[in-house]
Amino acid sequence: LLNCIIFCSAAFATFFTGYKGLATNDSGSVWRFKLMQGAAAILCLLLGLVPWGCTNGLAKLGARDEYSGGKVYWDLAIVFESIVFLVTALVGAYNVYKAQTYDPY
């Protein structure tokens, strides 16, 4: 729940900064958007690959023998969660690219 609140608030702030920058043609806001979105994409990439705390990155598949039961469940949970984070990282990187190449004219 805490991750959902933190990530959603940060994603909204990032989106609003980028939208405002592109709508008003403010280069400072666009620069902040690219910085914030790039950092979010890198964080999502790391969360999809590396198991930190409550996230199950793909690297956790090698240590799934630690679980006593439900190995199929944990395999599916790890793969699904990692795919969600990796797709989010790809979308974030694409957004940074599109903001960099945006031409309002």
Side-chain angles (χ1 to χ4, degrees):
L1 183 62
L2 184 60
N3 284 341
C4 183
I5 293 170
I6 291 171
F7 285 149
C8 289
S9 300
F12 175 74
T14 302
F15 171 77
F16 179 75
T17 302
Y19 186 75
K20 177 183 157 193
L22 293 176
T24 61
N25 204 17
D26 179 21
S27 63
S29 292
V30 173
W31 182 83
R32 281 191 301 275
F33 167 74
K34 291 188 287 189
L35 182 70
M36 293 165 59
Q37 187 66 36
I42 291 170
L43 177 66
C44 285
L45 178 68
L46 290 175
L47 290 174
L49 297 175
V50 181
W52 282 335
C54 64
T55 60
N56 298 310
L58 286 176
K60 190 116 178 185
L61 285 174
R64 68 183 188 269
D65 295 333
E66 298 172 5
Y67 304 111
S68 59
K71 292 184 191 232
V72 173
Y73 166 77
W74 282 109
D75 288 347
L76 292 175
I78 291 169
V79 168
F80 178 74
E81 182 182 19
S82 297
I83 286 173
V84 168
F85 277 123
L86 293 175
V87 167
T88 304
L90 285 173
V91 170
Y94 180 72
N95 285 337
V96 171
Y97 167 74
K98 291 302 280 184
Q100 180 68 31
T101 59
Y102 177 72
D103 184 17
Y105 303 108

